[in-house]
Structures are given as C-alpha cells and as structure tokens.
Amino acid sequence: MSAERAVSSVREPSLGREHVPAGDSNIPAIDIHCHLSTPAATELIQQHYSPAAILAKEPYDLFAGEASRARNRELGPTLMPKLSGTEQRVEDMDAMGVDIQVLASFVSQNYYWTEADLASQLMRLQNERIAEARDEHPGRFEALGTIPLQHAASAVAELEYCVESLGMKGVQISANVNGDDLDDPRFRPFWKRASELGVVVLIHPSGFTEGRRFDDWFLTNTLGNPLDSTVALLRLIYSGRLAEFPNLKLVVVHGGGFLPFYWARMDHAWSNRPEAAVNISQPPSTYLKQVYFDAMVFDPGLIANLVGFAGHDHVMIGTDYPFDMGYYDPLGITAQVPGLSPEELAAIQGGNAARLFGIA
C-alpha cells in the first residue's frame, strides 16, 4: 500500500463505526502502534550528520536498495505532515473508528549511534514533543517515550523522566541497538527498572542487521523488520531475561514477527539441544506467552492463529500510522476473525490496551 493509498483508505465511507461489533460500547478503540516524528530533533541532528556513519548503523536504510530509497523520498512530502502533526491524524482516526492512539517516536529518530550528551538531548526533545502532542487533543492520545538505550545510565534516567515527569505509559525501543541484542548484559538495568515501574516496553524493529540479501523488492521491510523482531524476542527468551522479569509488560509489533507462528520448532530445540536450555527451565513458548502483540498481520486467519497461541487477552489493534506499510481498517479486519465472541473482540479492539497501558 502506498502512502497515497493509505491516505485515501482511511477516508473510505466503508471504514468506521459500523465495524465495531456488539459488545461493551464503553470500551474505546485503542491503536497501540503508531508514530510521531519530531522535526526539532531532525534539525539538531543535521549538525552531527555523517551519511556514511549513519548508514553503517541503520540496517533498514543500508539494505533498502536504491528503488526503495527513491520511493521513500517520493513519499516524503505526503507523509511528513501526517507523521509530525495531530490535526490530520485526528481526522484519520475518526474515519478509522479509532478513539485513542498511543503515540510513539519515528524509529529512525532513535539515533542509537550518537554519544551520550547528544543522545540525551535528542531523546528529551522527542519526549517533550510527544507529550505536547498527546495534550493537544485531550482524551485522544496516550504516549510512549524514547530513550538513549545505547547509554545504560542515561536510558534509565530518561525512562524515569518519561514516566514520572511526563506521565507516559512506557517507552518504545528498537529490536537491536547498533547491532547489539537486547539481551546484552549492559541493558539489564533498563529491563529491571522498566519491570519495577510496571510500564510498557514496546519493541519496534529497525531493519535486520544481516540483510545483505534484502536489497530488492522492499525485503528490508517485508522480511527484515519482522525478522529483526523475531530474533530480538527469541534472544530475550533464550537468555532468560523474560524468565528473570516475569512481570515485564512487553509488546512486540507486527504480530511479534514470525515467532508466534513458528514457536514449536523453538520448543523442540529446547527439548533436544542442551545449549538451548542453559538459561530457561521451561519451553520457550512458555515465556512467549508473557508477551503482548498487535494484530497487524494483514489477514483475519493469521490474527486467529495469533489469538489461538497468545490468547485473546494478549492481542491488540495497531495500524503503523501513517506509513504505507500500515493497515487502516483495524476494526474491520479484527471483526472478520473467526471464532471470537463479542467480548473477546471488544478486548482486542480496546479493552486489552486499556488494561495494559492503564487507560481509564
């Protein structure tokens, strides 16, 4: 779906409140996967920008291929007003039947390659802007912050600022940090503090770090992004990090990548390979069921598979707004999932998110 088609699709008369099924009408429809950019951070980073250095750190761009880079440049003028503002966003939410968006940063603005002082400044700019945008339309938005995860002490401090000073519901992080995996021991203080605070950590991919075969046909996104999430989540499980923090509120977008649909192979390895059972006492799928997922897998049957594995109480709607790889009929597609009761459908469309994020 191109950005132009994405813009038009959220305005089709067929989308909207008629897709909300019978159920608890008091539960708002909550989109937990959408993005907001911060132009001030873009302006600041220009002073420190080195194309060669950044491409070496950002696999999504490195392995995109020239055709995909050209298409991204073409989409920019249409996309950026929606990505950075709230006015058109609210109109599109109304057309989709979405009551609340949980705003998070544009992942290309994580800037994990920057040194500590600059990284903290960039994250603070974004968090202040996200909080400001949340307050522009009271009741329509909640917020997730962004943190300089490459610098452990600064990451914990910014996490605390987001939650305790700005009233955010948690933070969004990438599925890797300059190619380092999220189970790296230096990130443990962040996981520990997030668990103690009881806030959401949303993992969003930023391209697979070994994507040399992904330069054609937009594979850097269609294959690379869910693979990035799959590897991150599997490493958090096998390393024992999820076992260590069982109360962690972890959300993985794009349906969790491939792992919720291929978990049995991981359990088989745990049962038959001693090196796969060093850090965990239960099969990997046991810990995977601690995780929450969005339903943005583009097909009602795949959503049914996800619900069948994770449970209807661990799946929520998401759109990836406003990107062309997003899906802009979240209520319509979830209403087509076979076998859901009205109560289960209402939970997926908003009740689970309200509970997990603490939205009144």
Side-chain angles (χ1 to χ4, degrees):
M1 182 186 295
S2 69
E4 290 86 352
R5 287 171 62 195
V7 171
S8 64
S9 69
V10 298
R11 294 176 180 170
E12 291 177 3
S14 62
L15 305 185
R17 281 302 179 189
E18 63 270 29
H19 282 308
V20 179
D24 189 346
S25 61
N26 294 320
I27 298 177
I30 303 174
D31 174 7
I32 63 100
H33 179 187
C34 52
H35 301 284
L36 181 83
S37 70
T38 302
T42 304
E43 293 175 10
L44 174 60
I45 203 64
Q46 298 304 316
Q47 306 168 35
H48 307 273
Y49 187 83
S50 168
I54 292 177
L55 285 177
K57 299 295 186 182
E58 295 185 357
Y60 185 88
D61 292 326
L62 178 62
F63 300 119
E66 182 50 40
S68 293
R69 293 191 193 111
R71 180 58 175 162
N72 289 342
R73 291 191 295 269
E74 179 183 339
L75 295 176
T78 300
L79 185 65
M80 289 311 296
K82 299 165 70 67
L83 183 60
S84 60
T86 60
E87 296 304 321
Q88 183 62 55
R89 183 180 297 259
V90 169
E91 292 186 21
D92 291 344
M93 289 166 61
D94 289 342
M96 289 185 284
V98 169
D99 297 301
I100 299 170
Q101 277 191 350
V102 181
L103 301 174
S105 67
F106 175 30
V107 289
S108 291
Q109 291 194 304
N110 284 340
Y111 305 127
Y112 285 155
W113 52 272
T114 54
E115 51 82 21
D117 289 343
L118 176 60
S120 294
Q121 187 178 0
L122 287 162
M123 299 305 105
R124 184 59 57 88
L125 275 173
Q126 293 185 70
N127 290 328
E128 298 283 0
R129 170 55 189 150
I130 293 170
E132 176 186 62
R134 174 197 61 196
D135 297 338
E136 287 174 358
H137 298 271
R140 301 307 304 271
F141 300 119
E142 293 293 347
L144 295 174
T146 185
I147 58 175
L149 192 52
Q150 69 273 37
H151 305 292
S154 300
V156 170
E158 193 65 19
L159 167 66
E160 292 173 341
Y161 178 76
C162 288
V163 174
E164 296 171 351
S165 297
L166 296 179
M168 292 180 165
K169 301 300 185 180
V171 291
Q172 174 184 268
I173 64 173
S174 286
N176 72 85
V177 181
N178 293 338
D180 293 336
D181 290 297
L182 298 180
D183 61 291
D184 190 298
R186 81 179 199 270
F187 302 136
R188 184 182 178 278
F190 161 72
W191 293 114
K192 180 175 183 292
R193 190 65 180 126
S195 180
E196 291 170 345
L197 290 170
V199 296
V200 172
V201 178
L202 187 147
I203 294 178
H204 193 290
S206 55
F208 191 62
T209 52
E210 301 297 329
R212 288 167 292 181
R213 297 163 65 191
F214 295 173
D215 59 336
D216 293 321
W217 313 301
F218 204 40
L219 292 182
T220 189
N221 183 299
T222 55
L223 178 59
N225 268 8
L227 185 57
D228 194 28
S229 297
T230 300
V231 172
L233 184 52
L234 190 56
R235 291 191 64 96
L236 286 172
I237 292 171
Y238 272 131
S239 68
R241 196 64 76 222
L242 289 188
E244 182 181 9
F245 300 115
N247 296 320
L248 189 68
K249 295 180 179 179
L250 187 64
V251 177
V252 184
V253 298
H254 307 132
F258 305 123
L259 192 52
F261 305 93
Y262 205 43
W263 56 268
R265 186 174 180 86
M266 317 312 156
D267 282 6
H268 185 76
W270 177 86
S271 298
N272 291 279
R273 300 288 303 197
E275 69 271 32
V278 170
N279 299 309
I280 52 177
S281 60
Q282 300 293 324
S285 62
T286 304
Y287 307 99
L288 183 61
K289 289 186 177 181
Q290 297 174 201
V291 183
Y292 294 81
F293 309 95
D294 74 3
M296 213 194 77
V297 293
F298 307 105
D299 179 82
L302 289 178
I303 298 174
N305 290 341
L306 181 61
V307 171
F309 171 77
H312 76 273
D313 57 338
H314 277 234
V315 179
M316 301 167 284
I317 61 171
T319 62
D320 207 356
Y321 183 93
F323 293 104
D324 57 339
M325 283 295 288
Y327 190 85
Y328 299 115
D329 188 8
L331 304 184
I333 193 170
T334 49
Q336 297 175 47
V337 175
L340 293 179
S341 70
E343 293 74 21
E344 291 170 340
L345 187 54
I348 291 170
Q349 293 183 339
N352 295 334
R355 171 176 48 86
L356 181 66
F357 289 86
I359 299 172

